[in-house]
mmCIF file of all heavy atoms in Angstrom:
data_model
loop_
_atom_site.group_PDB
_atom_site.id
_atom_site.type_symbol
_atom_site.label_atom_id
_atom_site.label_comp_id
_atom_site.label_asym_id
_atom_site.label_seq_id
_atom_site.Cartn_x
_atom_site.Cartn_y
_atom_site.Cartn_z
ATOM 1 N N PHE D 1023 0.845 -1.211 0.017
ATOM 2 C CA PHE D 1023 -0.001 -0.016 0.009
ATOM 3 C C PHE D 1023 0.869 1.265 -0.026
ATOM 4 O O PHE D 1023 0.594 2.201 -0.750
ATOM 5 C CB PHE D 1023 -0.891 0.006 1.205
ATOM 6 C CG PHE D 1023 -1.740 1.236 1.332
ATOM 7 C CD1 PHE D 1023 -3.006 1.282 0.705
ATOM 8 C CD2 PHE D 1023 -1.352 2.315 2.034
ATOM 9 C CE1 PHE D 1023 -3.799 2.439 0.757
ATOM 10 C CE2 PHE D 1023 -2.120 3.470 2.129
ATOM 11 C CZ PHE D 1023 -3.332 3.519 1.481
ATOM 12 N N LYS D 1024 1.916 1.244 0.789
ATOM 13 C CA LYS D 1024 2.812 2.394 0.901
ATOM 14 C C LYS D 1024 3.447 2.694 -0.436
ATOM 15 O O LYS D 1024 3.607 3.871 -0.827
ATOM 16 C CB LYS D 1024 3.869 2.086 1.981
ATOM 17 C CG LYS D 1024 4.791 3.294 2.277
ATOM 18 C CD LYS D 1024 5.766 2.956 3.374
ATOM 19 C CE LYS D 1024 6.724 4.128 3.651
ATOM 20 N NZ LYS D 1024 7.721 3.766 4.703
ATOM 21 N N ASP D 1025 3.882 1.662 -1.146
ATOM 22 C CA ASP D 1025 4.504 1.857 -2.455
ATOM 23 C C ASP D 1025 3.500 2.515 -3.445
ATOM 24 O O ASP D 1025 3.880 3.407 -4.215
ATOM 25 C CB ASP D 1025 4.992 0.500 -3.021
ATOM 26 C CG ASP D 1025 6.182 -0.027 -2.286
ATOM 27 O OD1 ASP D 1025 6.883 0.763 -1.610
ATOM 28 O OD2 ASP D 1025 6.460 -1.245 -2.390
ATOM 29 N N GLU D 1026 2.263 2.053 -3.406
ATOM 30 C CA GLU D 1026 1.278 2.614 -4.311
ATOM 31 C C GLU D 1026 0.889 4.050 -3.901
ATOM 32 O O GLU D 1026 0.782 4.918 -4.770
ATOM 33 C CB GLU D 1026 -0.014 1.759 -4.246
ATOM 34 C CG GLU D 1026 0.085 0.416 -4.966
ATOM 35 C CD GLU D 1026 0.311 0.563 -6.442
ATOM 36 O OE1 GLU D 1026 -0.373 1.426 -7.085
ATOM 37 O OE2 GLU D 1026 1.163 -0.113 -6.968
ATOM 38 N N TRP D 1027 0.847 4.265 -2.586
ATOM 39 C CA TRP D 1027 0.540 5.596 -2.076
ATOM 40 C C TRP D 1027 1.591 6.627 -2.443
ATOM 41 O O TRP D 1027 1.288 7.791 -2.801
ATOM 42 C CB TRP D 1027 0.325 5.547 -0.581
ATOM 43 C CG TRP D 1027 0.027 6.859 0.037
ATOM 44 C CD1 TRP D 1027 0.805 7.579 0.932
ATOM 45 C CD2 TRP D 1027 -1.146 7.703 -0.141
ATOM 46 N NE1 TRP D 1027 0.186 8.756 1.318
ATOM 47 C CE2 TRP D 1027 -0.981 8.829 0.680
ATOM 48 C CE3 TRP D 1027 -2.288 7.536 -0.916
ATOM 49 C CZ2 TRP D 1027 -1.976 9.839 0.698
ATOM 50 C CZ3 TRP D 1027 -3.248 8.528 -0.884
ATOM 51 C CH2 TRP D 1027 -3.065 9.672 -0.071
ATOM 52 N N SER D 1028 2.858 6.203 -2.478
ATOM 53 C CA SER D 1028 3.939 7.122 -2.785
ATOM 54 C C SER D 1028 3.876 7.557 -4.233
ATOM 55 O O SER D 1028 4.329 8.687 -4.584
ATOM 56 C CB SER D 1028 5.287 6.446 -2.529
ATOM 57 O OG SER D 1028 5.501 5.349 -3.396
ATOM 58 N N LYS D 1029 3.260 6.762 -5.110
ATOM 59 C CA LYS D 1029 3.149 7.117 -6.519
ATOM 60 C C LYS D 1029 2.135 8.241 -6.753
ATOM 61 O O LYS D 1029 2.201 8.926 -7.806
ATOM 62 C CB LYS D 1029 2.755 5.875 -7.333
ATOM 63 C CG LYS D 1029 3.804 4.750 -7.329
ATOM 64 C CD LYS D 1029 3.278 3.533 -8.023
ATOM 65 C CE LYS D 1029 4.296 2.377 -7.927
ATOM 66 N NZ LYS D 1029 3.768 1.150 -8.493
ATOM 67 N N VAL D 1030 1.233 8.421 -5.818
ATOM 68 C CA VAL D 1030 0.216 9.432 -5.963
ATOM 69 C C VAL D 1030 0.871 10.801 -6.121
ATOM 70 O O VAL D 1030 0.420 11.693 -6.896
ATOM 71 C CB VAL D 1030 -0.756 9.447 -4.767
ATOM 72 C CG1 VAL D 1030 -1.702 10.642 -4.822
ATOM 73 C CG2 VAL D 1030 -1.551 8.146 -4.719
ATOM 74 N N PHE D 1031 1.974 11.001 -5.387
ATOM 75 C CA PHE D 1031 2.612 12.346 -5.372
ATOM 76 C C PHE D 1031 3.453 12.657 -6.618
ATOM 77 O O PHE D 1031 4.051 13.690 -6.739
ATOM 78 C CB PHE D 1031 3.468 12.483 -4.103
ATOM 79 C CG PHE D 1031 2.687 12.207 -2.841
ATOM 80 C CD1 PHE D 1031 2.777 11.001 -2.181
ATOM 81 C CD2 PHE D 1031 1.827 13.184 -2.369
ATOM 82 C CE1 PHE D 1031 2.045 10.766 -1.023
ATOM 83 C CE2 PHE D 1031 1.097 12.965 -1.243
ATOM 84 C CZ PHE D 1031 1.217 11.773 -0.539
ATOM 85 N N HIS D 1032 3.426 11.669 -7.561
ATOM 86 C CA HIS D 1032 4.146 11.895 -8.823
ATOM 87 C C HIS D 1032 3.248 12.573 -9.818
ATOM 88 O O HIS D 1032 3.639 12.875 -10.962
ATOM 89 C CB HIS D 1032 4.686 10.576 -9.356
ATOM 90 C CG HIS D 1032 5.720 9.973 -8.531
ATOM 91 N ND1 HIS D 1032 6.135 8.655 -8.743
ATOM 92 C CD2 HIS D 1032 6.379 10.382 -7.450
ATOM 93 C CE1 HIS D 1032 7.026 8.333 -7.828
ATOM 94 N NE2 HIS D 1032 7.229 9.381 -7.033
ATOM 95 N N TYR D 1033 1.953 12.730 -9.480
ATOM 96 C CA TYR D 1033 1.012 13.288 -10.416
ATOM 97 C C TYR D 1033 0.388 14.621 -9.929
ATOM 98 O O TYR D 1033 0.323 14.873 -8.736
ATOM 99 C CB TYR D 1033 -0.145 12.263 -10.646
ATOM 100 C CG TYR D 1033 0.355 10.974 -11.234
ATOM 101 C CD1 TYR D 1033 0.715 9.904 -10.377
ATOM 102 C CD2 TYR D 1033 0.507 10.812 -12.586
ATOM 103 C CE1 TYR D 1033 1.190 8.718 -10.936
ATOM 104 C CE2 TYR D 1033 0.974 9.657 -13.140
ATOM 105 C CZ TYR D 1033 1.303 8.593 -12.288
ATOM 106 O OH TYR D 1033 1.770 7.449 -12.821
ATOM 107 N N LYS D 1034 -0.036 15.383 -10.830
ATOM 108 C CA LYS D 1034 -0.622 16.642 -10.521
ATOM 109 C C LYS D 1034 -2.167 16.554 -10.645
ATOM 110 O O LYS D 1034 -2.683 16.090 -11.639
ATOM 111 C CB LYS D 1034 -0.096 17.734 -11.504
ATOM 112 C CG LYS D 1034 -0.621 19.151 -11.222
ATOM 113 C CD LYS D 1034 -0.075 20.115 -12.264
ATOM 114 C CE LYS D 1034 -0.639 21.517 -12.037
ATOM 115 N NZ LYS D 1034 -0.133 22.450 -13.060
ATOM 116 N N VAL D 1035 -2.822 17.042 -9.586
ATOM 117 C CA VAL D 1035 -4.295 17.067 -9.571
ATOM 118 C C VAL D 1035 -4.733 18.519 -9.595
ATOM 119 O O VAL D 1035 -4.290 19.335 -8.782
ATOM 120 C CB VAL D 1035 -4.857 16.335 -8.347
ATOM 121 C CG1 VAL D 1035 -6.386 16.386 -8.336
ATOM 122 C CG2 VAL D 1035 -4.352 14.917 -8.274
ATOM 123 N N GLU D 1036 -5.572 18.881 -10.535
ATOM 124 C CA GLU D 1036 -6.020 20.242 -10.642
ATOM 125 C C GLU D 1036 -7.502 20.367 -10.277
ATOM 126 O O GLU D 1036 -8.322 19.515 -10.614
ATOM 127 C CB GLU D 1036 -5.819 20.759 -12.095
ATOM 128 C CG GLU D 1036 -4.361 20.788 -12.530
ATOM 129 C CD GLU D 1036 -4.212 21.277 -13.920
ATOM 130 O OE1 GLU D 1036 -5.223 21.556 -14.596
ATOM 131 O OE2 GLU D 1036 -3.077 21.387 -14.406
ATOM 132 N N ASN D 1037 -7.863 21.446 -9.589
ATOM 133 C CA ASN D 1037 -9.229 21.745 -9.301
ATOM 134 C C ASN D 1037 -9.894 22.398 -10.499
ATOM 135 O O ASN D 1037 -9.343 23.255 -11.193
ATOM 136 C CB ASN D 1037 -9.346 22.682 -8.116
ATOM 137 C CG ASN D 1037 -9.058 21.939 -6.803
ATOM 138 O OD1 ASN D 1037 -9.365 20.774 -6.694
ATOM 139 N ND2 ASN D 1037 -8.550 22.670 -5.813
ATOM 140 N N VAL D 1038 -11.105 21.974 -10.799
ATOM 141 C CA VAL D 1038 -11.886 22.537 -11.876
ATOM 142 C C VAL D 1038 -13.154 23.127 -11.272
ATOM 143 O O VAL D 1038 -13.924 22.424 -10.632
ATOM 144 C CB VAL D 1038 -12.249 21.464 -12.932
ATOM 145 C CG1 VAL D 1038 -13.116 22.058 -14.034
ATOM 146 C CG2 VAL D 1038 -10.976 20.872 -13.505
ATOM 147 N N ARG D 1039 -13.353 24.436 -11.521
ATOM 148 C CA ARG D 1039 -14.557 25.090 -10.948
ATOM 149 C C ARG D 1039 -15.821 24.754 -11.766
ATOM 150 O O ARG D 1039 -15.786 24.832 -13.019
ATOM 151 C CB ARG D 1039 -14.361 26.597 -10.913
ATOM 152 C CG ARG D 1039 -15.539 27.342 -10.257
ATOM 153 C CD ARG D 1039 -15.267 28.843 -10.257
ATOM 154 N NE ARG D 1039 -14.182 29.207 -9.413
ATOM 155 C CZ ARG D 1039 -14.363 29.447 -8.147
ATOM 156 N NH1 ARG D 1039 -15.510 29.301 -7.549
ATOM 157 N NH2 ARG D 1039 -13.351 29.833 -7.344
ATOM 158 N N THR D 1040 -16.843 24.318 -11.116
ATOM 159 C CA THR D 1040 -18.126 24.014 -11.769
ATOM 160 C C THR D 1040 -19.239 24.798 -11.014
ATOM 161 O O THR D 1040 -18.990 25.439 -10.044
ATOM 162 C CB THR D 1040 -18.415 22.547 -11.731
ATOM 163 O OG1 THR D 1040 -18.698 22.125 -10.383
ATOM 164 C CG2 THR D 1040 -17.293 21.699 -12.281
ATOM 165 N N GLY D 1041 -20.463 24.648 -11.562
ATOM 166 C CA GLY D 1041 -21.573 25.287 -10.888
ATOM 167 C C GLY D 1041 -21.864 24.826 -9.513
ATOM 168 O O GLY D 1041 -22.408 25.528 -8.674
ATOM 169 N N ASN D 1042 -21.418 23.585 -9.205
ATOM 170 C CA ASN D 1042 -21.684 22.998 -7.894
ATOM 171 C C ASN D 1042 -20.479 23.103 -6.948
ATOM 172 O O ASN D 1042 -20.441 22.551 -5.854
ATOM 173 C CB ASN D 1042 -22.049 21.510 -8.040
ATOM 174 C CG ASN D 1042 -23.284 21.329 -8.844
ATOM 175 O OD1 ASN D 1042 -24.220 22.085 -8.716
ATOM 176 N ND2 ASN D 1042 -23.316 20.263 -9.648
ATOM 177 N N GLY D 1043 -19.468 23.872 -7.364
ATOM 178 C CA GLY D 1043 -18.264 23.962 -6.491
ATOM 179 C C GLY D 1043 -17.036 23.439 -7.198
ATOM 180 O O GLY D 1043 -16.951 23.454 -8.459
ATOM 181 N N PHE D 1044 -16.073 22.998 -6.481
ATOM 182 C CA PHE D 1044 -14.852 22.480 -7.033
ATOM 183 C C PHE D 1044 -14.897 20.964 -7.188
ATOM 184 O O PHE D 1044 -15.503 20.214 -6.387
ATOM 185 C CB PHE D 1044 -13.654 22.818 -6.137
ATOM 186 C CG PHE D 1044 -13.230 24.268 -6.190
ATOM 187 C CD1 PHE D 1044 -13.654 25.156 -5.189
ATOM 188 C CD2 PHE D 1044 -12.516 24.693 -7.278
ATOM 189 C CE1 PHE D 1044 -13.278 26.460 -5.272
ATOM 190 C CE2 PHE D 1044 -12.120 26.040 -7.332
ATOM 191 C CZ PHE D 1044 -12.524 26.937 -6.315
ATOM 192 N N GLN D 1045 -14.289 20.482 -8.262
ATOM 193 C CA GLN D 1045 -14.257 19.052 -8.498
ATOM 194 C C GLN D 1045 -12.819 18.717 -8.966
ATOM 195 O O GLN D 1045 -12.165 19.515 -9.596
ATOM 196 C CB GLN D 1045 -15.258 18.574 -9.573
ATOM 197 C CG GLN D 1045 -16.664 18.755 -9.080
ATOM 198 C CD GLN D 1045 -17.653 18.367 -10.224
ATOM 199 O OE1 GLN D 1045 -17.424 18.634 -11.371
ATOM 200 N NE2 GLN D 1045 -18.734 17.658 -9.840
ATOM 201 N N LEU D 1046 -12.386 17.489 -8.677
ATOM 202 C CA LEU D 1046 -11.066 17.046 -9.151
ATOM 203 C C LEU D 1046 -11.146 16.717 -10.611
ATOM 204 O O LEU D 1046 -12.145 16.101 -11.065
ATOM 205 C CB LEU D 1046 -10.605 15.804 -8.391
ATOM 206 C CG LEU D 1046 -10.267 16.006 -6.904
ATOM 207 C CD1 LEU D 1046 -9.843 14.657 -6.319
ATOM 208 C CD2 LEU D 1046 -9.107 16.996 -6.720
ATOM 209 N N ASP D 1047 -10.150 17.096 -11.361
ATOM 210 C CA ASP D 1047 -10.042 16.704 -12.762
ATOM 211 C C ASP D 1047 -9.472 15.317 -12.849
ATOM 212 O O ASP D 1047 -8.273 15.131 -12.741
ATOM 213 C CB ASP D 1047 -9.197 17.716 -13.529
ATOM 214 C CG ASP D 1047 -9.159 17.426 -15.012
ATOM 215 O OD1 ASP D 1047 -9.751 16.373 -15.409
ATOM 216 O OD2 ASP D 1047 -8.599 18.248 -15.745
ATOM 217 N N ILE D 1048 -10.350 14.303 -13.027
ATOM 218 C CA ILE D 1048 -9.921 12.900 -12.971
ATOM 219 C C ILE D 1048 -8.954 12.546 -14.135
ATOM 220 O O ILE D 1048 -8.163 11.678 -14.022
ATOM 221 C CB ILE D 1048 -11.149 11.961 -12.995
ATOM 222 C CG1 ILE D 1048 -11.999 12.284 -11.787
ATOM 223 C CG2 ILE D 1048 -10.722 10.538 -13.008
ATOM 224 C CD1 ILE D 1048 -11.273 12.086 -10.496
ATOM 225 N N ASP D 1049 -9.031 13.302 -15.193
ATOM 226 C CA ASP D 1049 -8.118 13.029 -16.306
ATOM 227 C C ASP D 1049 -6.691 13.220 -16.002
ATOM 228 O O ASP D 1049 -5.795 12.732 -16.647
ATOM 229 C CB ASP D 1049 -8.506 13.892 -17.491
ATOM 230 C CG ASP D 1049 -9.809 13.487 -18.184
ATOM 231 O OD1 ASP D 1049 -10.086 12.250 -18.128
ATOM 232 O OD2 ASP D 1049 -10.546 14.357 -18.657
ATOM 233 N N LYS D 1050 -6.419 13.952 -14.912
ATOM 234 C CA LYS D 1050 -5.046 14.163 -14.437
ATOM 235 C C LYS D 1050 -4.552 13.034 -13.554
ATOM 236 O O LYS D 1050 -3.392 12.992 -13.155
ATOM 237 C CB LYS D 1050 -4.955 15.475 -13.670
ATOM 238 C CG LYS D 1050 -5.390 16.708 -14.455
ATOM 239 C CD LYS D 1050 -4.468 16.973 -15.623
ATOM 240 C CE LYS D 1050 -4.927 18.226 -16.375
ATOM 241 N NZ LYS D 1050 -4.074 18.504 -17.518
ATOM 242 N N ILE D 1051 -5.448 12.095 -13.206
ATOM 243 C CA ILE D 1051 -5.071 11.024 -12.286
ATOM 244 C C ILE D 1051 -4.945 9.710 -13.077
ATOM 245 O O ILE D 1051 -5.867 9.394 -13.798
ATOM 246 C CB ILE D 1051 -6.109 10.866 -11.129
ATOM 247 C CG1 ILE D 1051 -6.296 12.217 -10.424
ATOM 248 C CG2 ILE D 1051 -5.667 9.789 -10.176
ATOM 249 C CD1 ILE D 1051 -7.364 12.176 -9.375
ATOM 250 N N PRO D 1052 -3.845 8.982 -12.925
ATOM 251 C CA PRO D 1052 -3.690 7.713 -13.671
ATOM 252 C C PRO D 1052 -4.779 6.721 -13.269
ATOM 253 O O PRO D 1052 -5.162 6.587 -12.105
ATOM 254 C CB PRO D 1052 -2.299 7.242 -13.264
ATOM 255 C CG PRO D 1052 -2.040 7.915 -11.998
ATOM 256 C CD PRO D 1052 -2.731 9.265 -12.053
ATOM 257 N N GLU D 1053 -5.268 5.940 -14.260
ATOM 258 C CA GLU D 1053 -6.361 5.047 -13.989
ATOM 259 C C GLU D 1053 -6.093 3.961 -13.064
ATOM 260 O O GLU D 1053 -6.944 3.367 -12.441
ATOM 261 C CB GLU D 1053 -6.864 4.520 -15.339
ATOM 262 C CG GLU D 1053 -7.493 5.585 -16.197
ATOM 263 C CD GLU D 1053 -8.306 4.969 -17.336
ATOM 264 O OE1 GLU D 1053 -9.040 3.970 -17.057
ATOM 265 O OE2 GLU D 1053 -8.219 5.393 -18.434
ATOM 266 N N HIS D 1054 -4.788 3.548 -12.940
ATOM 267 C CA HIS D 1054 -4.476 2.385 -12.050
ATOM 268 C C HIS D 1054 -4.717 2.722 -10.590
ATOM 269 O O HIS D 1054 -4.723 1.795 -9.772
ATOM 270 C CB HIS D 1054 -3.009 1.947 -12.303
ATOM 271 C CG HIS D 1054 -2.013 2.820 -11.654
ATOM 272 N ND1 HIS D 1054 -1.462 3.937 -12.230
ATOM 273 C CD2 HIS D 1054 -1.430 2.740 -10.412
ATOM 274 C CE1 HIS D 1054 -0.640 4.499 -11.423
ATOM 275 N NE2 HIS D 1054 -0.574 3.801 -10.313
ATOM 276 N N LEU D 1055 -4.959 3.999 -10.244
ATOM 277 C CA LEU D 1055 -5.248 4.315 -8.859
ATOM 278 C C LEU D 1055 -6.710 4.121 -8.495
ATOM 279 O O LEU D 1055 -7.058 4.242 -7.353
ATOM 280 C CB LEU D 1055 -4.891 5.795 -8.583
ATOM 281 C CG LEU D 1055 -3.411 6.087 -8.789
ATOM 282 C CD1 LEU D 1055 -3.140 7.605 -8.521
ATOM 283 C CD2 LEU D 1055 -2.554 5.321 -7.801
ATOM 284 N N PHE D 1056 -7.557 3.799 -9.488
ATOM 285 C CA PHE D 1056 -8.933 3.533 -9.207
ATOM 286 C C PHE D 1056 -9.186 2.047 -9.102
ATOM 287 O O PHE D 1056 -8.612 1.235 -9.781
ATOM 288 C CB PHE D 1056 -9.851 4.082 -10.357
ATOM 289 C CG PHE D 1056 -9.885 5.553 -10.386
ATOM 290 C CD1 PHE D 1056 -9.188 6.271 -11.346
ATOM 291 C CD2 PHE D 1056 -10.592 6.296 -9.431
ATOM 292 C CE1 PHE D 1056 -9.196 7.620 -11.402
ATOM 293 C CE2 PHE D 1056 -10.616 7.670 -9.480
ATOM 294 C CZ PHE D 1056 -9.918 8.353 -10.500
ATOM 295 N N PHE D 1057 -10.120 1.670 -8.211
ATOM 296 C CA PHE D 1057 -10.529 0.277 -8.058
ATOM 297 C C PHE D 1057 -11.820 0.110 -8.845
ATOM 298 O O PHE D 1057 -12.906 0.361 -8.329
ATOM 299 C CB PHE D 1057 -10.721 -0.131 -6.607
ATOM 300 C CG PHE D 1057 -9.449 -0.092 -5.833
ATOM 301 C CD1 PHE D 1057 -9.061 1.035 -5.138
ATOM 302 C CD2 PHE D 1057 -8.662 -1.194 -5.762
ATOM 303 C CE1 PHE D 1057 -7.857 1.066 -4.447
ATOM 304 C CE2 PHE D 1057 -7.481 -1.201 -5.073
ATOM 305 C CZ PHE D 1057 -7.064 -0.071 -4.376
ATOM 306 N N HIS D 1058 -11.713 -0.188 -10.138
ATOM 307 C CA HIS D 1058 -12.889 -0.353 -10.927
ATOM 308 C C HIS D 1058 -12.686 -1.431 -12.003
ATOM 309 O O HIS D 1058 -11.557 -1.984 -12.087
ATOM 310 C CB HIS D 1058 -13.279 0.984 -11.590
ATOM 311 C CG HIS D 1058 -12.229 1.573 -12.522
ATOM 312 N ND1 HIS D 1058 -12.051 1.183 -13.804
ATOM 313 C CD2 HIS D 1058 -11.211 2.413 -12.238
ATOM 314 C CE1 HIS D 1058 -11.059 1.790 -14.351
ATOM 315 N NE2 HIS D 1058 -10.530 2.544 -13.426
ATOM 316 N N ASP D 1059 -13.731 -1.705 -12.763
ATOM 317 C CA ASP D 1059 -13.616 -2.820 -13.682
ATOM 318 C C ASP D 1059 -13.042 -2.447 -15.057
ATOM 319 O O ASP D 1059 -13.018 -3.216 -15.976
ATOM 320 C CB ASP D 1059 -14.967 -3.536 -13.874
ATOM 321 C CG ASP D 1059 -15.989 -2.568 -14.432
ATOM 322 O OD1 ASP D 1059 -15.644 -1.431 -14.770
ATOM 323 O OD2 ASP D 1059 -17.181 -2.976 -14.475
ATOM 324 N N GLY D 1060 -12.677 -1.197 -15.216
ATOM 325 C CA GLY D 1060 -12.079 -0.767 -16.484
ATOM 326 C C GLY D 1060 -13.106 -0.175 -17.445
ATOM 327 O O GLY D 1060 -12.741 0.484 -18.406
ATOM 328 N N ASP D 1061 -14.361 -0.360 -17.139
ATOM 329 C CA ASP D 1061 -15.388 0.159 -18.065
ATOM 330 C C ASP D 1061 -16.127 1.398 -17.467
ATOM 331 O O ASP D 1061 -16.435 2.335 -18.157
ATOM 332 C CB ASP D 1061 -16.439 -0.901 -18.315
ATOM 333 C CG ASP D 1061 -15.917 -2.046 -19.185
ATOM 334 O OD1 ASP D 1061 -15.036 -1.759 -19.979
ATOM 335 O OD2 ASP D 1061 -16.360 -3.167 -19.040
ATOM 336 N N LYS D 1062 -16.357 1.344 -16.159
ATOM 337 C CA LYS D 1062 -17.123 2.427 -15.527
ATOM 338 C C LYS D 1062 -16.217 3.435 -14.904
ATOM 339 O O LYS D 1062 -16.111 3.567 -13.696
ATOM 340 C CB LYS D 1062 -18.087 1.824 -14.501
ATOM 341 C CG LYS D 1062 -19.050 0.821 -15.073
ATOM 342 C CD LYS D 1062 -19.879 0.148 -14.009
ATOM 343 C CE LYS D 1062 -20.831 -0.893 -14.622
ATOM 344 N NZ LYS D 1062 -21.655 -1.559 -13.609
ATOM 345 N N ARG D 1063 -15.503 4.152 -15.721
ATOM 346 C CA ARG D 1063 -14.519 5.117 -15.228
ATOM 347 C C ARG D 1063 -15.257 6.357 -14.748
ATOM 348 O O ARG D 1063 -16.008 6.992 -15.545
ATOM 349 C CB ARG D 1063 -13.546 5.466 -16.344
ATOM 350 C CG ARG D 1063 -12.445 6.463 -15.945
ATOM 351 C CD ARG D 1063 -11.444 6.568 -17.046
ATOM 352 N NE ARG D 1063 -10.336 7.443 -16.654
ATOM 353 C CZ ARG D 1063 -10.318 8.688 -17.020
ATOM 354 N NH1 ARG D 1063 -11.285 9.256 -17.645
ATOM 355 N NH2 ARG D 1063 -9.262 9.466 -16.612
ATOM 356 N N PRO D 1064 -15.080 6.808 -13.503
ATOM 357 C CA PRO D 1064 -15.783 7.986 -13.013
ATOM 358 C C PRO D 1064 -15.269 9.245 -13.738
ATOM 359 O O PRO D 1064 -14.072 9.363 -14.079
ATOM 360 C CB PRO D 1064 -15.391 8.017 -11.523
ATOM 361 C CG PRO D 1064 -14.123 7.303 -11.432
ATOM 362 C CD PRO D 1064 -14.209 6.178 -12.474
#
């Protein structure tokens, strides 16, 4: 877990302002950090 967590800091996450407030721009985050089936990408 620690090895995977350390990789998070190698990427830049940008805030995107929307009508409902701030949201993370998921396109800036590598997909291997998500626990999903590969089809339902948030």
